Amino acid sequence: MSEPILKVSNLETYYGPIMAIRGVSFEVPTGSIVTILGANGAGKTTVLKTACGVMDPQKGSVTFEGREIQRMDPDKVMRLGISHVPEGREVFPFLSVRENLRMGAYTRKDPDGVAQDLETVFGYFPVLKERADQRAGSLSGGEQQMLAISRALMARPRLMLLDEPSLGLSPKLVKEIFDIVLRINRERGVTILLVEQNANMALQTAEFGYVLEVGRIVMADTCARLLQKEDIKEFYLGIKDEGARGQRRWKKRKTWR
Amino acid sequence: MTDRARPSYWHGEKAASDRPTGSRGRKLDIFLQLTLNGLAVGCIYGLVALGFVLIYKATELVNFAQGDLLMLGAFVCYMAVVWWGLDYWLSFLIAVLAVAAFGALLDAVLLRRVIGQPQFAVVMLTIGLGAVFRTFASVTWGSEIYTLPTPFGGVTRIAGVTISHQYLSIIVGTLILCSVLYGFFNHTRIGVAMQATSQNQLAAYYMGIPVKRIFSMIWAISAGVATAAGVLLAPVTLIDINMGLAVALKAFAAAVLGGFGSIPGALVGGIVIGLIELYAGATLPDGFKDTAPYIVLLVMLVVRPQGLFGTPGRKKV
């Protein structure tokens, strides 16, 4: 692990007057899976949106492979090699599954490679092959998530930003999708930045994790160690060692130690 | 479509000589004639409505200057044919390309900036642009009425029905244009990307589709289609600076009738409006020619507010 593929430093992003990201810095080493955990409204999605150019930061920088990309248009960022799987899938509802996948490869000029990758993603998600000529809007939520991931993969990205892939899916499907994410990382060498509320799944898949609270990173460690921390266990995994009746709950504070 | 325009005895067994004579046959001829002309006029409305719908679907802007783009296109073609003495087909091509380029430019320098502004700002802006175009046309080409010389002067008489080549050229031209556009939107990479952009703009950005350039291209297509409609219409209504106004209003009605946002709806809506207009003009008292389409539209909006091809209003969450 040499240069980090993505480096974010002192990022500050606003929604109008509201400061959503309050000086966030983190790194994603090349070839790794890094996760950002956080509750609703912590700013996870905003971090990804700023990284991929949909939102412009007020301050700070985003560096991808040594190149500053903040304030770039999202389609240009994508051409550099960053694919974004947005929250809520965002497939093209009236295009067929196959057309959706082809749109993922819009920026590519090698038809043979595209055809080959189409077979690869059909290999990952055989259900997409069965439904290749169906409208994407008629797929189930899980199938749409598979499609969104496959579509992002069709661009042959070097970095993939995954925003809540587990949203609204059954535990079995979540497991299936995370297995594929792991395979994509291992087999194709795609670096993955994963944003999740499903902390358990995310920490088991990723190598390194950051915890985001109200726009700030409050904890950063390897996932193995994060899994052992008391605060993570209590607030993200819902495991409590003591106080089964929750008497201590009212005065328990997060200490981030 | 063309089959209906033809007399029913076109297909053989009844020879022209043993068709019913007298007033019944005469009425049938008039009816067929009206149908043919209605189809042609409807095709023009349909093409202009198509322009409305394309722009609206992609950018959520309603372009009230669509009719004036049609007028500009007709004038450019007139200029090329009469002033420069060019061939009709070459002039047609020049007009379509010139106005399409102008449409793209319009988007790039002006309309891109009003996306996301209140609809009223956009409505006023495009209405104002239309007025600017008309002024420009009257300064450049004069405010008289001009005749565009076309190769479609003749008529064909088929079993008593006079088919004017002008009207026929509109129908054939529309069919060709629609099949070209259909092929483009469904079978080319950029065409599918345009559909994708209309369906989900944010996701299109994520795919690396240059959304802004796609918008300009959609404006170019809309302006080009309007020009084609204008040039095809020119021999029928003649060219003057106000030729776009009446067409645009009816075309807007056609787009609403078809369910604003549906491309086949726009074309079918246009044809329905065109047919109603001609039938009403021939059978009802004076003045109904222009009001009948709106009466039908009104009834339609009460009975089926989403239009012929529209889906009931559902806001995606």
Side-chain angles (χ1 to χ4, degrees):
Chain A
M1 284 189 213
S2 49
E3 260 299 272
I5 191 166
L6 186 78
K7 193 164 182 270
V8 170
S9 44
N10 298 320
L11 205 64
E12 289 184 10
T13 308
Y14 290 77
Y15 284 101
I18 300 156
M19 195 179 195
I21 305 288
R22 302 160 181 255
V24 164
S25 303
F26 64 92
E27 287 181 1
V28 182
T30 309
S32 64
I33 302 182
V34 171
T35 182
I36 299 179
L37 303 176
N40 283 331
K44 299 168 301 209
T45 300
T46 315
V47 168
L48 287 196
K49 282 188 172 169
T50 314
C52 76
V54 172
M55 294 183 70
D56 289 340
Q58 203 84 3
K59 276 189 201 151
S61 67
V62 182
T63 316
F64 177 67
E65 295 181 332
R67 195 169 159 184
E68 293 210 355
I69 59 164
Q70 73 274 16
R71 273 181 259 279
M72 247 189 212
D73 275 348
D75 55 298
K76 303 229 169 63
V77 171
M78 194 271 178
R79 278 160 204 268
L80 294 177
I82 302 182
S83 276
H84 188 162
V85 182
E87 188 178 9
R89 295 127 203 175
E90 306 278 347
V91 296
F92 301 115
F94 299 110
L95 296 184
S96 71
V97 168
R98 194 188 304 275
E99 281 171 326
N100 264 276
L101 292 171
R102 289 206 176 280
M103 281 298 110
Y106 182 82
T107 53
R108 287 174 59 182
K109 296 279 183 283
D110 54 328
D112 295 342
V114 172
Q116 200 185 322
D117 283 4
L118 204 58
E119 286 312 309
T120 316
V121 300
F122 283 156
Y124 286 143
F125 299 111
V127 64
L128 292 182
K129 186 167 193 170
E130 284 166 33
R131 306 199 190 282
D133 296 311
Q134 214 169 305
R135 277 183 174 184
S138 68
L139 299 183
S140 74
E143 288 160 351
Q144 286 190 16
Q145 187 63 60
M146 295 175 190
L147 178 59
I149 293 175
S150 307
R151 188 180 61 176
L153 207 55
M154 288 299 290
R156 280 212 183 155
R158 292 191 292 288
L159 172 65
M160 204 150 125
L161 311 178
L162 275 170
D163 199 346
E164 301 238 2
S166 72
L167 192 77
L169 303 186
S170 71
K172 182 169 171 282
L173 219 49
V174 171
K175 178 92 178 57
E176 204 175 307
I177 285 193
F178 274 86
D179 285 345
I180 297 288
V181 168
L182 212 55
R183 267 180 74 190
I184 290 168
N185 175 255
R186 300 265 156 80
E187 292 172 14
R188 304 179 56 110
V190 180
T191 312
I192 286 167
L193 176 57
L194 172 69
V195 152
E196 259 301 342
Q197 281 201 56
N198 187 337
N200 190 23
M201 235 23 245
L203 288 174
Q204 280 171 29
T205 312
E207 292 144 32
F208 203 87
Y210 293 88
V211 179
L212 196 64
E213 285 224 333
V214 223
R216 281 196 189 84
I217 286 186
V218 290
M219 192 179 260
D221 213 329
T222 62
C223 289
R225 272 197 297 233
L226 282 178
L227 278 167
Q228 302 305 315
K229 305 246 180 187
E230 285 302 317
D231 283 341
I232 297 281
K233 273 195 202 167
E234 176 159 359
F235 291 102
Y236 288 94
L237 304 174
I239 307 166
K240 263 183 289 178
D241 291 339
E242 51 188 325
R245 294 212 187 84
Q247 301 104 318
R248 268 164 28 89
R249 198 72 175 76
W250 60 276
K251 62 176 178 184
K252 173 85 170 85
R253 291 272 189 278
K254 284 181 248 186
T255 53
W256 301 119
R257 261 182 282 124
Chain B
M1 214 190 313
T2 34
D3 262 345
R4 280 190 54 205
R6 284 174 191 149
S8 53
Y9 33 78
W10 176 265
H11 301 283
E13 75 271 29
K14 271 192 190 171
S17 56
D18 56 43
R19 75 190 156 87
T21 45
S23 73
R24 258 190 78 211
R26 189 77 209 104
K27 271 190 185 146
L28 183 68
D29 288 348
I30 292 175
F31 173 75
L32 291 170
Q33 189 89 53
L34 283 174
T35 306
L36 180 75
N37 294 3
L39 277 177
V41 173
C43 282
I44 297 292
Y45 295 154
L47 286 180
V48 178
L50 182 73
F52 279 128
V53 169
L54 282 178
I55 290 178
Y56 177 73
K57 273 184 83 165
T59 64
E60 306 212 331
L61 302 180
V62 180
N63 173 27
F64 282 98
Q66 197 70 23
D68 299 295
L69 289 171
L70 172 147
M71 178 271 299
L72 282 183
F75 264 113
V76 172
C77 187
Y78 172 81
M79 181 168 69
V81 171
V82 176
W83 292 12
W84 305 339
L86 297 176
D87 175 60
Y88 173 80
W89 295 107
L90 182 63
S91 307
F92 200 148
L93 191 69
I94 289 174
V96 168
L97 292 180
V99 178
F102 179 66
L105 193 73
L106 211 58
D107 172 63
V109 298
L110 214 58
L111 286 143
R112 194 175 285 175
R113 290 165 215 280
V114 295
I115 289 179
Q117 303 296 323
Q119 276 293 346
F120 267 117
V122 181
V123 170
M124 275 324 294
L125 178 68
T126 52
I127 289 177
L129 276 175
V132 171
F133 297 162
R134 286 195 295 281
T135 312
F136 171 79
S138 82
V139 170
T140 317
W141 296 296
S143 46
E144 284 110 84
I145 294 173
Y146 301 94
T147 315
L148 177 70
T150 63
F152 313 116
V155 292
T156 307
R157 293 188 66 86
I158 299 168
V161 182
T162 313
I163 297 173
S164 130
H165 289 180
Q166 290 171 353
Y167 285 97
L168 200 62
S169 73
I170 293 176
I171 295 173
V172 173
T174 305
L175 283 177
I176 294 173
L177 203 57
C178 289
S179 32
V180 168
L181 285 176
Y182 181 84
F184 174 75
F185 280 119
N186 287 299
H187 299 294
T188 67
R189 198 174 70 111
I190 293 182
V192 178
M194 283 179 179
Q195 285 192 54
T197 309
S198 303
Q199 289 169 23
N200 193 334
Q201 198 181 320
L202 188 63
Y205 265 122
Y206 289 142
M207 299 301 104
I209 296 171
V211 172
K212 289 173 184 167
R213 214 181 313 151
I214 294 275
F215 283 172
S216 292
M217 280 192 265
I218 287 174
W219 269 84
I221 292 175
S222 289
V225 169
T227 301
V231 174
L232 290 171
L233 184 65
V236 178
T237 60
L238 307 181
I239 303 174
D240 74 306
I241 55 168
N242 291 322
M243 74 183 283
L245 289 177
V247 176
L249 202 58
K250 297 255 175 59
F252 198 74
V256 175
L257 188 68
F260 219 91
S262 157
I263 289 176
L267 292 164
V268 173
I271 287 167
V272 169
I273 296 262
L275 287 173
I276 291 171
E277 190 183 87
L278 284 218
Y279 291 152
T283 55
L284 296 173
D286 252 7
F288 272 96
K289 183 171 185 285
D290 285 323
T291 40
Y294 300 109
I295 294 171
V296 172
L297 179 64
L298 204 65
V299 172
M300 180 73 188
L301 287 179
V302 172
V303 178
R304 196 179 152 86
Q306 71 270 31
L308 286 173
F309 287 72
T311 40
R314 246 185 289 120
K315 196 82 190 160
K316 212 175 76 181
V317 225

